[in-house]
């Protein structure tokens, strides 16, 4: 095929890191080294050694591990990244202690951006699956110049495999405990000398690991997901390349995860659900028609129907007390457009020492809600619409052969309209700005050091629930300043790659999750979730990552995140304490071993410290560590792998609350947790062609 454009990031795709699988290469001196890593930083493809940011790249080798289907399955490998469930999946993400943990009646403006193949999935992350994914990039810290309001804490970018110039494909089947069945397939190649394609599909089914003792059922927390993606790469002319993606997800998962005794046995008579149907399209055109710049135009549209409901009392008539259900049905629509100019060698400024990038970005989102709640006299409805326009630019100047200065700035205006059936409304307009200044020092071919100051922002909003007093309705926009020092090395003849980052962050008018417990007439508690502002929030810590190719047959990886956070608000209950979902340490360690004669094995450990579930109550998780292992055999183009996850059968929490909900105890206030998956075994077979 003729030239098919190499990936160049846009504000829609924002792939901050691209890497080849971490496998051994043998050079002429028989020294085994790690494969080279490519990173796309500051809108341009670059090497890892030149990236002034704390970035984790989860490559295809990790994503191909058995029973890896969703972001929740891989994010533990990225330091200082956490998640929360409260649904069928862990679909709310936190980076360095910043990020949302749930969504009920209010509209969530995410602190952590999630982009899948150029499509902004931040508001519908159940669909952020790893179908045919080639890599996941996690960029920590505010992305004020690169992405804007939806990336205050950082960005998670998922990239799927691209069309290839030779035919290829694979089929994979997984069978596991709890009636787990997963069938996926992908095929791609050239259609002709100008067009390449790739099609991937997946059917993912499981009864789940919850048993409902009242209904005598073991599938009330089930997984039922159907996914389809198609991609085309078109060399439209000598000067124009097109990349087109279409994505469809039909998710009909159950949600029956909380019990009155914090076990995996529930007593609810009306189990809930967590549904999402999404169709999304994205396209990127890259034009090389003049010598002065490359013009990129990226467009994406998406439409989702989301429905989330649950048994409020987690009980049944036999236990006495009240009976209630709560259901949220959302119609989400979104569109983004990015028009970007990227300098070429001919148009670099200041005697060719400064590369530049500039562009205009448009964002639209609408979210219409219908809530059906047992204790509400009528259905609650709301309409939300946000429109943003931003202009941005960045300069990258080589001050010397070793020293590079990067300056980026983004100015964004957000106009939001909100109306609901309680006759409430809000029409805020926010003018916000963010950016970064970074200094890179390339000490030698194997050592790079950087210093970074960046500023991010997040728009304000409106609390919809009618049970809040007027002074708690509105919450303000927040800003985050990030100060960071980092070092990256390639050691031991390029067999060991390391990254280290030290950071300090300050949030002003920090948006936090608050709640109110309101007593019902029957003595039970109504839990009301809303967003408030804290005067300040601070965090500082360390992120360390390493990849070591110990030999041709053994590679080892490890990561460590250390984090200290503090919330500040005079006379508030949370003043001076840690932020929610911000464990003081997180770690991951793993090894992959080629045993010879086609046999291979692997071992992974991941763990984290205890953390608060919310900013406004004292319920905490326990510290834990999980052990996973696999043993497989590969011959020619097929493989079979036996695997086990959570081998020590650890009980660990993925969400928690504190209120009264057990009629047998007079609705006394207690801690309630949602448990993660127990020990699980399965087998995966894969055929490649």
């Amino acid at each position: 095929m003729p030239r098919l454009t190499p990936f160049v990031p846009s504000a829609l795709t924002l792939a901050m890191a691209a890497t080849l699988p971490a496998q051994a290469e043998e050079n002429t001196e028989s020294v085994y080294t790690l494969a080279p890593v490519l990173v796309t930083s500051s809108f341009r493809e670059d090497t890892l050694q030149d990236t002034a940011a704390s970035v984790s790249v989860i490559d295809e080798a990790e994503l191909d591990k058995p029973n890896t289907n969703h972001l929740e399955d891989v994010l533990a490998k990225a330091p200082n990244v956490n998640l929360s469930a409260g649904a069928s999946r862990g679909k709310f993400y936190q980076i360095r202690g910043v990020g949302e943990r749930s969504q009920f009646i209010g509209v969530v403006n995410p602190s952590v951006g999630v982009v899948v193949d150029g499509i902004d999935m931040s508001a519908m992350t159940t669909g952020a699956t790893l179908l045919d994914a080639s890599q996941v990039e996690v960029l920590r810290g505010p992305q004020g110049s690169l992405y804007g309001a939806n990336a205050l804490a950082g960005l998670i970018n998922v990239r799927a495999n691209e069309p290839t110039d030779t035919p290829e494909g694979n089929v994979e089947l997984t069978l596991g405990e709890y009636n787990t069945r997963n069938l996926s397939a992908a095929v791609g190649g050239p259609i002709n000398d100008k067009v390449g394609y790739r099609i991937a599909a997946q059917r993912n089914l499981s009864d789940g690991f919850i048993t409902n003792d009242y209904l005598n059922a073991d599938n009330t927390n089930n997984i039922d997901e159907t996914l389809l993606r198609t991609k085309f790469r078109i060399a439209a002319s000598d000067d124009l390349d097109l990349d087109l993606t279409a994505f469809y997800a039909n998710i009909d998962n159950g949600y029956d995860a909380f019990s009155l005794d914090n076990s995996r046995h529930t007593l609810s008579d009306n189990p809930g659900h967590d549904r999402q149907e999404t169709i999304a399209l994205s396209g990127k055109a890259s034009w090389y028609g003049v010598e002065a710049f490359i013009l990129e135009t990226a467009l994406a549209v998406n439409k989702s129907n989301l429905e989330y409901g649950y048994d409020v009392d987690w009980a049944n008539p036999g236990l006495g007390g009240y009976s209630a259900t709560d259901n949220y049905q959302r119609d989400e629509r979104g569109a983004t457009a990015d028009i970007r100019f990227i300098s070429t060698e001919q148009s670099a400024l200041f005697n060719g020492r400064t590369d530049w990038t500039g562009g205009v970005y448009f964002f639209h989102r609408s979210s219409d809600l219908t809530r059906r709640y047992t204790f509400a006299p009528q259905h609650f409805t709301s309409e939300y619409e946000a429109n943003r326009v931003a202009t941005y630019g960045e300069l990258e100047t080589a001050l010397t052969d070793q020293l590079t200065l990067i300056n980026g700035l983004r100015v964004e205006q957000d106009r939001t309209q909100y109306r609901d059936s309680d006759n409430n409304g809000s029409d805020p307009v926010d003018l916000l700005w963010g950016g970064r200044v970074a200094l890179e020092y390339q000490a030698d071919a194997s050592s790079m050091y950087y210093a970074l100051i960046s500023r991010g922002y997040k728009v304000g909003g409106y609390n919809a629930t009618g049970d809040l007093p007027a002074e708690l309705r509105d919450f303000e926009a927040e800003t985050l300043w990030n100060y960071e020092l980092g070092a990256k090395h390639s050691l031991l003849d390029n067999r060991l790659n390391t990254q280290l980052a030290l950071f300090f962050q300050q949030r002003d008018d920090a948006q936090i999750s608050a709640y109110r417990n309101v007593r019902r007439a029957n003595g039970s508690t109504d839990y009301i979730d809303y967003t408030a502002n804290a005067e300040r929030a601070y965090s500082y810590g360390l992120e360390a990552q390493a990849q070591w190719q110990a030999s041709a047959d053994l590679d080892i990886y490890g990561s460590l995140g250390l984090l200290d956070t503090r919330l500040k608000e005079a006379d508030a209950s949370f003043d001076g304490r840690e932020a929610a979902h911000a464990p003081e340490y997180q770690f991951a360690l793993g090894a992959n071993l080629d045993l010879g004669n086609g046999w291979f094995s692997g071992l992974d450990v991941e763990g984290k410290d205890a953390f608060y579930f919310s900013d406004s109550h004292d319920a905490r998780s326990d510290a834990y560590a999980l052990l996973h292992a696999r043993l497989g055999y590969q011959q020619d183009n097929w493989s079979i792998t036996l695997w086990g996850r959570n081998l020590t059968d650890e009980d660990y929490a993925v969400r928690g609350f504190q209120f009264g909900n057990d009629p047998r105890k007079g609705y006394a206030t207690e801690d309630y947790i949602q448990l993660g998956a127990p020990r699980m075994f399965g087998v995966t077979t894969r055929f490649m062609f």
Side-chain angles (χ1 to χ4, degrees):
M1 295 177 68
R3 167 181 51 80
L4 296 182
T5 310
F7 180 83
V8 180
S10 69
L12 296 174
T13 56
L14 254 190
M16 287 301 300
T19 181
L20 301 174
Q23 58 191 17
E25 289 189 341
E26 185 178 7
N27 65 21
T28 57
E29 298 178 350
S30 297
V31 176
Y32 293 97
T33 65
L34 290 169
V37 177
L38 298 178
V39 178
T40 54
S41 178
S42 303
F43 312 108
R44 295 174 182 272
E45 190 174 271
D46 215 332
T47 67
L48 179 61
Q49 296 302 111
D50 293 328
T51 306
S54 181
V55 181
S56 294
V57 177
I58 304 168
D59 63 23
E60 193 167 8
E62 287 292 320
L63 300 177
D64 281 344
K65 288 181 179 178
N67 206 38
T68 301
N69 301 307
H70 195 270
L71 277 175
E72 66 176 359
D73 299 322
V74 299
L75 288 182
K77 295 175 175 62
N80 286 332
V81 178
N82 203 2
L83 58 83
S84 66
S88 64
R89 291 285 196 186
K91 62 182 184 179
F92 300 97
Y93 309 119
Q94 305 87 40
I95 295 179
R96 295 177 175 174
V98 182
E100 287 63 48
R101 298 172 297 282
S102 60
Q103 181 179 21
F104 296 102
I105 196 171
V107 178
V108 168
N109 292 308
S111 297
V112 177
V114 178
V115 177
V116 182
D117 273 341
I119 302 161
D120 189 336
M121 302 282 285
S122 306
M124 44 193 175
T125 53
T126 306
T129 70
L130 300 178
L131 169 65
D132 198 34
S134 62
Q135 64 186 32
V136 174
E137 303 110 8
V138 181
L139 185 61
R140 287 173 289 271
Q143 304 308 303
S145 59
L146 293 170
Y147 196 69
N150 277 8
L152 173 83
L155 178 74
I156 301 171
N157 186 79
V158 182
R159 289 180 56 196
N161 283 298
E162 300 291 346
T164 55
D165 56 5
T166 57
E168 66 171 40
N170 63 76
V171 178
E172 182 176 288
L173 174 65
T174 292
L175 301 175
E177 290 186 278
Y178 308 107
N179 202 22
T180 296
R181 296 144 289 156
N182 187 312
L183 178 63
S184 63
V187 62
I191 295 176
N192 54 40
D193 63 351
K194 292 184 178 296
V195 181
Y197 78 98
R198 190 171 182 92
I199 300 174
Q202 184 177 58
R203 187 83 167 99
N204 188 21
L205 299 168
S206 177
D207 287 346
F209 49 83
I210 296 295
T211 299
N212 187 307
D213 291 337
Y214 177 74
L215 297 177
N216 193 27
D218 60 6
N219 63 350
T220 53
N221 200 54
N222 68 303
I223 297 293
D224 184 349
E225 300 170 339
T226 301
L227 310 164
L228 177 66
R229 177 185 286 112
T230 61
K231 303 185 78 169
F232 294 93
R233 176 161 286 184
I234 304 169
S237 70
D238 291 341
D239 298 323
L240 180 63
D241 291 328
L242 303 175
D243 290 278
L244 307 174
T245 298
F247 175 73
Y248 174 75
N250 190 342
I251 298 169
D252 188 9
N253 295 343
Y255 176 48
D256 185 27
F258 278 92
S259 70
L260 295 175
D261 59 359
N262 290 327
S263 72
R264 296 186 180 95
H265 288 259
T266 62
L267 296 170
S268 52
D269 57 345
N270 292 295
H273 46 261
D274 187 14
R275 299 167 181 153
Q276 176 174 328
E277 185 175 16
T278 294
I279 184 168
L281 304 171
S282 69
K284 179 165 71 76
S286 301
W287 183 64
Y288 309 87
V290 296
E291 292 186 351
F293 58 83
I294 299 169
L295 173 61
E296 284 191 344
T297 304
L299 305 172
V301 295
N302 61 78
K303 181 181 185 301
S304 293
N305 294 316
L306 312 176
E307 187 172 356
Y308 169 75
Y310 57 96
D311 189 322
V312 176
D313 54 294
W314 309 335
N316 58 76
L319 296 178
Y322 72 103
S323 179
T325 60
D326 205 356
N327 193 77
Y328 301 84
Q329 188 170 355
R330 283 181 165 88
D331 183 7
E332 289 270 355
R333 290 179 172 84
T336 53
D338 189 6
I339 302 171
R340 175 174 299 171
F341 297 87
I342 303 172
S343 68
T344 63
E345 185 177 348
Q346 289 78 9
S347 60
L349 304 175
F350 308 118
N351 296 321
R353 302 186 69 88
T354 299
D355 295 324
W356 54 266
T357 303
V360 180
Y361 176 79
F362 302 92
F363 172 92
H364 168 80
R365 177 190 173 195
S366 67
S367 181
D368 297 339
L369 168 68
T370 299
R371 182 196 188 193
R372 298 172 175 86
Y373 178 43
T374 298
F375 292 118
Q378 61 186 11
H379 297 336
F380 174 87
T381 62
S382 67
E383 297 179 354
Y384 169 89
E385 182 176 322
N387 292 285
R388 300 173 190 158
V389 59
T391 182
Y392 60 87
E394 187 162 277
L395 301 176
E396 184 173 332
T397 303
L399 301 177
T400 69
D401 291 342
Q402 295 176 293
L403 196 61
T404 301
L405 176 66
I406 299 171
N407 296 281
L409 178 67
R410 185 185 188 98
V411 179
E412 183 166 325
Q413 184 181 68
D414 174 85
R415 293 180 177 272
T416 300
Q417 293 182 326
Y418 173 84
R419 297 290 184 273
D420 65 34
S421 55
D422 290 340
N423 296 318
N424 295 314
S426 179
D427 300 280
V429 177
D430 287 319
L431 182 64
L432 302 166
W433 68 273
R436 66 169 179 161
V437 177
L439 195 62
E440 299 178 10
Y441 177 66
Q442 194 78 46
D444 52 46
S446 61
S447 302
M448 190 275 282
Y449 305 90
Y450 71 87
L452 168 68
I453 301 175
S454 55
R455 186 183 194 269
Y457 53 87
K458 183 180 177 183
V459 300
Y462 185 81
N463 288 305
T465 177
D467 295 313
L468 284 176
E471 63 269 19
L472 298 180
R473 292 286 185 169
D474 294 292
F475 54 93
E476 302 299 319
E478 72 167 296
T479 58
L480 188 156
W481 283 95
N482 174 61
Y483 307 89
E484 191 171 316
L485 297 173
K488 302 187 179 184
H489 292 88
S490 295
L491 306 170
L492 304 179
D493 295 323
N494 292 326
R495 290 187 292 116
L496 174 63
N497 288 341
T498 66
Q499 298 185 60
L500 179 68
L502 300 170
F503 65 88
F504 174 82
Q505 296 188 155
Q506 176 180 311
R507 299 163 63 193
D508 296 325
D509 293 320
Q511 294 176 18
I512 64 169
S513 176
Y515 84 106
R516 291 165 66 91
N517 282 333
V518 177
R519 283 284 183 181
R520 301 188 183 98
N522 60 10
S524 63
T525 303
D526 192 6
Y527 182 96
I528 300 173
D529 181 80
Y530 69 99
T531 300
N533 291 102
E535 180 182 357
R536 295 275 193 280
Y538 302 96
S539 63
Y540 63 91
L542 172 149
E543 289 143 2
Q545 303 171 86
Q547 183 86 31
W548 180 32
Q549 193 70 53
S551 71
D553 302 322
L554 175 65
D555 72 84
I556 300 172
Y557 77 87
S559 68
L560 174 66
L562 302 178
L563 179 65
D564 193 4
T565 59
R566 288 292 181 269
L567 301 175
K568 299 297 293 181
E569 179 72 32
D571 300 323
S573 61
F574 55 78
D575 184 52
R577 79 171 208 183
E578 301 168 3
H581 272 252
E584 290 191 354
Y585 67 80
Q586 293 178 251
F587 66 88
L589 181 66
N592 301 298
L593 177 62
D594 185 346
L595 300 171
N597 298 318
W599 291 93
F600 61 89
S601 65
L603 191 69
D604 303 284
V605 182
E606 62 184 70
K608 62 186 67 172
D609 191 18
F611 54 84
Y612 288 105
F613 291 120
S614 174
D615 297 319
S616 50
H617 60 68
D618 294 329
R620 289 171 61 91
S621 72
D622 292 326
Y624 66 85
L626 306 179
L627 175 64
H628 317 303
R630 59 200 168 277
L631 174 66
Y633 178 78
Q634 181 170 344
Q635 184 66 41
D636 297 327
N637 57 350
W638 68 272
S639 66
I640 185 168
T641 306
L642 301 175
W643 52 266
R645 294 185 63 82
N646 190 8
L647 293 180
T648 59
D649 203 21
E650 186 85 9
D651 284 341
Y652 63 101
V654 294
R655 188 70 176 111
F657 297 96
Q658 186 180 75
F659 62 106
N661 209 37
D662 192 339
R664 300 168 300 183
K665 300 178 181 179
Y667 297 110
T669 298
E670 293 185 288
D671 295 350
Y672 294 107
I673 61 172
Q674 177 182 345
L675 291 172
R679 180 168 51 222
M680 182 176 180
F681 294 99
V683 59
T684 297
T685 183
R686 183 180 178 92
F687 176 73
M688 294 167 285
F689 55 88

